[in-house]
Amino acid sequence: GLIVSNMAHTSDRGVYEAIGTTDDLVARAWERNPPPGHLWVWDEIGALFGRPDDVKGGDWLGRIRAALMTLTAGRHGGIQTGTTRIAPSRCAVTLLGTMTRAELEARMSLMLVQDGFLGRMVLIPIGPRRTYLSRPPAWTQEDMDRRDRLVQWVRSIAGSEDCWGEAFMHHDKNALALRDTWYEERSRQFDAEAEGGDEVAVARATAFGRLQATAVKMASLAALSEKEPDEPIAQVRVHERHVQWGIMLAEHTLKELAALVREGQGVTADRYARKVLDYIAAAGESTRKKLLDRVRMDGMSRDARWRVVEGLAQDGSVEIEVVQTGGRPAFVVRAPSPA
């Protein structure tokens, strides 16, 4: 069946507990039969993207993002916490998150695109940036009927004993030809553009590696959405129009990512970080005051620039020494000491 949950402020343990089981027999049964399907609605999902100067390690952000990325493979390795053990098993999870574009721009960085987390998602803008609604529109009977049909369809797919299997085995000849042409042309184009080192081109090439797979998944879903109730999943065929729909979503997300990389505050922070590293490499070391006076970035406050420097210290790119004086402590920034 389908389980719909509202997720927020959870942990990696909470993720595994929501989709897993402590019963080894049940976990083994999910290897033969479909596991429960989960739809997670995560309002204000921005916290999962972190801030541009966050270091994704063993903290909450690093652990929960690692857990969520594990689930995209369709199975997880379980977790042991105290006396409770969640058994490894197959899983089926879809994450539906919401956030404002302004927040996404503030959290955007090249690392967010390159680390694979955002690249596993499809970005869907809802209306223009300025929409004024004094109250939400009322649901009509048609809206409720459409929702019920969608829920029933998803439940029927999630609970089916049929297996989709190898996606390309369902594609007809024209669908495969369109997919192959699009993939080969765009892969070569993006790789060639990225060789120049342009930030937008690098981000687009990186994201395409994930989104081309997402396009296949979306094409498969489009084909399944037209399945007759009594039609076996194994007999469903992916046609050219389904592939076009998957490509459209991937291309739209690539366009959105390129715009975010251009506009995102995190990318500005990335540029500033490189300027700091270049300055320290040439100067050897610098006080905080001198560094912030000499190395500037349009649109970034003094405090924002210092947070970038602190982020560089967190990931070991620079060292910050605190020097005690008669008044406020002074800070000296230098290149990391040789190991």
Side-chain angles (χ1 to χ4, degrees):
L2 177 67
I3 302 171
V4 181
S5 307
N6 289 311
M7 303 289 286
H9 309 297
T10 189
S11 63
D12 57 326
R13 174 181 175 179
V15 165
Y16 290 119
E17 288 177 342
I19 52 95
T21 177
T22 57
D23 190 327
D24 287 328
L25 292 178
V26 172
R28 284 197 290 272
W30 288 347
E31 295 295 326
R32 301 185 301 274
N33 303 307
H38 291 266
L39 173 60
W40 290 348
V41 181
W42 198 308
D43 192 25
E44 302 297 339
I45 199 173
L48 291 181
F49 295 161
R51 290 289 177 184
D53 53 357
D54 284 340
V55 178
K56 285 75 176 179
D59 58 358
W60 172 84
L61 179 61
R63 291 196 304 272
I64 193 165
R65 283 177 55 165
L68 290 172
M69 285 198 285
T70 296
L71 303 187
T72 64
R75 62 173 59 249
H76 65 90
I79 190 172
Q80 178 78 46
T81 57
T83 58
T84 301
R85 174 181 174 272
I86 303 298
S89 69
R90 291 172 61 203
C91 58
V93 181
T94 295
L95 179 63
L96 176 64
T98 63
M99 65 187 302
T100 64
R101 183 181 180 89
E103 183 180 6
L104 183 54
E105 288 178 0
R107 295 182 180 276
M108 178 56 61
S109 67
L110 289 177
M111 184 56 66
L112 183 60
V113 177
Q114 293 171 345
D115 70 4
F117 186 68
L118 188 59
R120 286 174 164 86
M121 300 184 179
V122 175
L123 303 181
I124 305 175
I126 305 298
R129 296 186 67 166
R130 292 181 180 272
T131 301
Y132 304 98
L133 293 174
S134 61
R135 61 183 185 275
W139 275 56
T140 66
Q141 185 61 47
E142 183 181 358
D143 292 330
M144 289 185 281
D145 290 344
R146 186 182 298 114
R147 178 199 60 188
D148 291 342
R149 288 196 301 270
L150 177 60
V151 170
Q152 289 301 322
W153 173 76
V154 173
R155 280 180 174 155
S156 70
I157 298 298
S160 172
E161 294 184 1
D162 253 346
C163 178
W164 181 247
E166 171 59 49
F168 293 121
M169 296 296 292
H170 293 264
H171 286 52
D172 67 19
K173 183 174 66 175
N174 291 336
L176 284 173
L178 176 59
R179 154 71 189 185
D180 292 346
T181 299
W182 172 73
Y183 173 80
E184 292 170 9
E185 289 181 354
R186 294 303 257 173
S187 293
R188 291 190 175 94
Q189 175 192 343
F190 293 148
D191 286 347
E193 291 172 351
E195 288 179 0
D198 176 74
E199 290 169 337
V200 174
V202 171
R204 193 160 42 206
T206 302
F208 181 75
R210 300 287 183 187
L211 287 169
Q212 60 84 19
T214 300
V216 177
K217 297 175 184 178
M218 295 298 103
S220 300
L221 284 174
L224 284 166
S225 71
E226 299 175 0
K227 184 180 84 68
E228 296 296 333
D230 57 349
E231 182 182 7
I233 288 179
Q235 295 180 13
V236 173
R237 289 293 170 262
V238 177
H239 301 295
E240 191 173 6
R241 66 181 182 276
H242 302 134
V243 174
Q244 287 173 336
W245 189 71
I247 289 174
M248 178 196 70
L249 287 175
E251 291 284 355
H252 172 77
T253 300
L254 286 167
K255 181 180 177 181
E256 286 291 310
L257 284 174
L260 286 164
V261 169
R262 292 189 190 98
E263 303 164 11
Q265 296 175 21
V267 178
T268 301
D270 290 332
R271 296 190 188 110
Y272 184 70
R274 286 196 294 275
K275 291 180 70 173
V276 168
L277 293 175
D278 290 343
Y279 180 80
I280 294 299
E285 66 177 36
S286 175
T287 64
R288 168 179 169 165
K289 181 180 185 307
K290 185 177 179 180
L291 175 63
L292 298 181
D293 286 344
R294 296 283 182 86
V295 185
R296 299 174 179 269
M297 178 64 72
D298 290 342
M300 291 188 73
S301 68
R302 200 175 182 87
D303 286 343
R305 283 181 278 141
W306 182 245
R307 285 196 295 271
V308 172
V309 178
E310 290 178 320
L312 290 172
Q314 282 185 307
D315 66 20
S317 298
V318 299
E319 292 179 352
I320 299 177
E321 179 186 359
V322 181
V323 180
Q324 298 297 333
T325 64
R328 292 182 177 179
F331 298 91
V332 177
V333 183
R334 60 172 59 93
S337 303

